[in-house]
Amino acid sequence: RDCKRIRSLFTKSYRSTTLIMLYIAMAVNFAYYGLIYGLPGAFKEAHHTSESQGTWSPAAGLLVSAVSEIPGAFLAVALAATIGRRTSMSFALLGCAVSMCFAVWALSSKRITDNVGLMSVFSVKVFLASGLIIMYLYMLECYPTKFRATGLAFIMVLGRVGAALVPTLYDGLDSDKKDDFFVMIAASAFIASVACCFLPYETRDTVLEEVAPPGTCTPAAEYTPLMTLRSVTPPRTPGTGRRGQRQ
């Protein structure tokens, strides 16, 4: 039965959704854990080589990076409540990619511990945290109830491959080419942002069906009439009349 549910993820109705979401999950995990793995060393090196007096300590940079996930969660709530899931996810990942480009510039110019560098890192984590939340929200809605848990688990587990690649890619670079790792993060986030535009289903304000694709869901405004049509009359007990009395 479990194999049948996994095969359902690659049927004609869901194949493109599954493949695109797999890449997006890998890209988001690669960016999220890549920043956790690479930023401490980048902050430490930039702090030691910086000649300006107004730089922040590496600990302060990591604190800003961690705290920035809180406004990222609020941004995800605001985006999810106002625009569609695909547009929200694409916007968040695009913002992450653009902010990452500024962070790469700050790294290359040894200004990552300056105010400009910290603001770029703050923006990266805000958009990335927002994209991560919306990604999981979309995964919960893009599959029908029959194999929704299977789809969520399948993409979450394989999405960790992106995180597993982080140590190999980062440690495999020379010390003077560590900035290329963050360029990879920016590129993968940008491609994921574009990939969101090719997702076939929009799930905002739709009724989640048990077997039908989200594209065939009924808008939430029509949910009450739908439930009225689907209401089932309680079965009659054998030997009883219409009013439940013995005949």
Side-chain angles (χ1 to χ4, degrees):
R1 180 176 296 180
D2 292 336
C3 293
K4 185 177 180 181
R5 289 176 178 174
I6 293 177
R7 287 197 299 269
S8 299
L9 300 176
F10 294 94
T11 57
K12 184 178 179 180
S13 299
Y14 303 102
R15 186 183 302 116
S16 59
T17 299
T18 300
L19 294 177
I20 293 174
M21 289 306 300
L22 273 175
Y23 173 76
I24 294 174
M26 290 181 185
V28 170
N29 278 278
F30 177 68
Y32 189 84
Y33 291 100
L35 292 175
I36 293 176
Y37 193 85
L39 277 181
F43 280 133
K44 184 177 180 180
E45 181 181 357
H47 183 70
H48 288 165
T49 59
S50 178
E51 298 179 355
S52 60
Q53 300 297 325
T55 59
W56 295 77
S57 67
L62 293 177
L63 178 63
V64 170
S65 175
V67 171
S68 59
E69 296 187 22
I70 299 176
F74 286 104
L75 177 61
V77 172
L79 291 175
T82 54
I83 57 180
R85 305 285 188 257
R86 294 177 299 182
T87 307
S88 301
M89 196 159 38
S90 179
F91 172 77
L93 293 174
L94 180 61
C96 175
V98 173
S99 300
M100 195 71 241
C101 290
F102 285 102
V104 170
W105 168 80
L107 281 168
S108 62
S109 59
K110 306 301 180 184
R111 298 185 59 184
I112 193 65
T113 53
D114 291 351
N115 292 333
V116 175
L118 287 185
M119 284 301 300
S120 63
V121 173
F122 179 85
S123 300
V124 170
K125 293 299 293 288
V126 166
F127 285 113
L128 183 59
S130 176
L132 180 69
I133 294 172
I134 299 173
M135 179 190 71
Y136 284 124
L137 178 61
Y138 184 83
M139 285 194 296
L140 283 170
E141 298 174 341
C142 65
Y143 293 113
T145 305
K146 187 175 182 180
F147 52 89
R148 180 173 299 132
T150 302
L152 177 64
F154 183 81
I155 295 176
M156 284 181 63
V157 171
L158 291 185
R160 297 292 183 178
V161 173
L165 294 175
V166 167
T168 302
L169 293 177
Y170 185 82
D171 295 333
L173 294 172
D174 296 333
S175 58
D176 58 339
K177 294 184 178 180
K178 295 297 185 182
D179 297 351
D180 294 343
F181 175 77
F182 298 99
V183 174
M184 296 179 194
I185 293 178
S188 62
F190 176 76
I191 297 173
S193 174
V194 176
C196 292
C197 302
F198 294 94
L199 287 169
Y201 304 121
E202 175 55 62
T203 60
R204 182 173 180 264
D205 292 338
T206 56
V207 179
L208 303 182
E209 304 287 348
E210 292 195 9
V211 293
T216 61
C217 290
T218 304
E222 302 177 15
Y223 183 71
T224 303
L226 176 67
M227 295 305 296
T228 303
L229 292 174
R230 289 185 176 179
S231 60
V232 180
T233 304
R236 299 177 182 177
T237 304
T240 61
R242 175 174 297 180
R243 297 184 179 180
Q245 298 178 352
R246 293 278 180 180
Q247 293 180 346

